[in-house]
Amino acid sequence: MTETTGLALGLRALTKRYGPVTALEPTDLDIGAGEFLTLLGPSGSGKTTLLNLIAGYTEPSGGTIRIGARDVTRTPARHRNIGMVFQSYALFPHMTVAQNLAYGLEARRVPKAEIARRVEAALALMQLEGYGNRGVQQMSGGQQQRVAVARALVIEPDVLLMDEPLGALDRQLRRQVQVELRRLHLKHGRTTIYVTHDQEEALVLSDRIAVMGKGRIQQLGSAAELYARPANSFIAGFIGESNLPEARVTSVAGGMALADIPALGLSIEAPVVPGVAPGAPARLMIRPEHLRLLPDAGEGQDAGEGIGARIIEVIYLGELTQFGLETSRGAFLVARGMEGRGLRQGDTVRLGWSPRDVLIVPDTGP
Ligand code: ADP
Ligand code: MG
């Protein structure tokens, strides 16, 4: 985590309902000063709702919001000292770059000389020196996005909020601006909440990631924590990739479960995360990179060694090769690695894994 000197933001039981739709279930969240936290989740999971509640653009149905020591639950947006960057940039189209930046400072009655100084500093921060007098419509998408960030930063917000700010940029430019945003954060350490549906972007930028699904924070942690111990099958499939065959758990003790895996025709013992219980829906998580392919020795091989499967697809990814596999029970699995060069579509193989690389997780359903 980047330098943390206290709590910047605290949410308690924060909730938003639109009639019968609960956009945000009661949510608790603490964000440290200087932290970069990402809300990651599919479309409709409540990310924008949560961000707009913090900004004060949306009224909560319940709960409280603190910024530093202040309870701002009923404070109007313009008095919360929050910087916001939208996917659409929302720049004033008929103003120059400098006028866009000065707007928020003028509204706060900052003296003219100081406005000029702060606008220059914010432009420099985003590598936009000399662009102050340009009309924003004369600038490229990437430049407009930088202006939007500069405009959010110029007011020296207590918290910087960004809602899918790179969504309108092409992939290459997005990668470039991600790295810039990360550098900017490491250098200035402004508390930031960033929204994206792109897991790669979340991994590049964040100190911690809150994975959202169905109006709830499903899990909060560092990228490494979410990857190693996903709380459920939704997280396992959303952070990185995973094979997730059904697991029928028969017993759980000491962090280990006994389970039948019908798709693999196996009974196994594997570590579990909280929430796994006999009879409750569960899945076995096997990451593609943890699935080993052993050439099939053919007749006479010990049938206990691994699971028989046929390679139905081979995709070259450069350094790695990805294999689509069909087990004898008709289950589809994905493996990825450097081993198995020379294996081809149609070959039969045996699959294995190290027991400490798999995990049984609760099944969260579709
Ligand atoms: P995300 O940003 O993760 O895509 P949103 O926060 O925009 O998700 O939406 C969460 C849920 O709340 C969705 O089901 C959406 O349809 C609903 N929702 C959001 N805003 C409104 C609104 N103004 N009126 C009614 N429903 C809304
Ligand atoms: Mg959204």
Side-chain angles (χ1 to χ4, degrees), residues 16-19 21-24 39-52 58 163-164 195-197 212 214-215:
K16 183 63 186 181
R17 285 183 296 269
Y18 292 102
V21 176
T22 302
L24 186 70
L39 306 177
L40 172 67
S43 174
S45 58
K47 307 180 299 293
T48 294
T49 300
L50 180 49
L51 216 61
N52 285 344
T58 301
D163 194 352
E164 312 227 13
V195 165
T196 183
H197 63 264
M212 296 198 65
K214 299 176 183 167

Side-chain angles (χ1 to χ4, degrees), residues 89-147:
Y89 314 141
L91 296 171
F92 304 115
H94 303 297
M95 292 187 188
T96 66
V97 170
Q99 284 165 346
N100 265 275
L101 266 62
Y103 187 86
L105 297 173
E106 283 159 3
R108 286 169 170 75
R109 309 203 180 287
V110 175
K112 264 202 156 48
E114 193 185 335
I115 290 180
R117 184 184 63 71
R118 279 168 68 172
V119 166
E120 277 311 309
L123 289 176
L125 210 56
M126 294 311 294
Q127 277 132 42
L128 288 169
E129 293 108 323
Y131 284 93
N133 293 325
R134 291 264 188 111
V136 292
Q137 286 171 321
Q138 295 163 256
M139 303 186 76
S140 70
Q143 289 171 326
Q144 288 189 30
Q145 191 276 345
R146 283 190 178 81
V147 174

Side-chain angles (χ1 to χ4, degrees), residues 285-296:
M285 175 183 98
I286 316 176
R287 299 285 186 192
E289 63 271 31
H290 291 150
L291 204 49
R292 284 197 299 267
L293 271 60
L294 315 164
D296 195 345

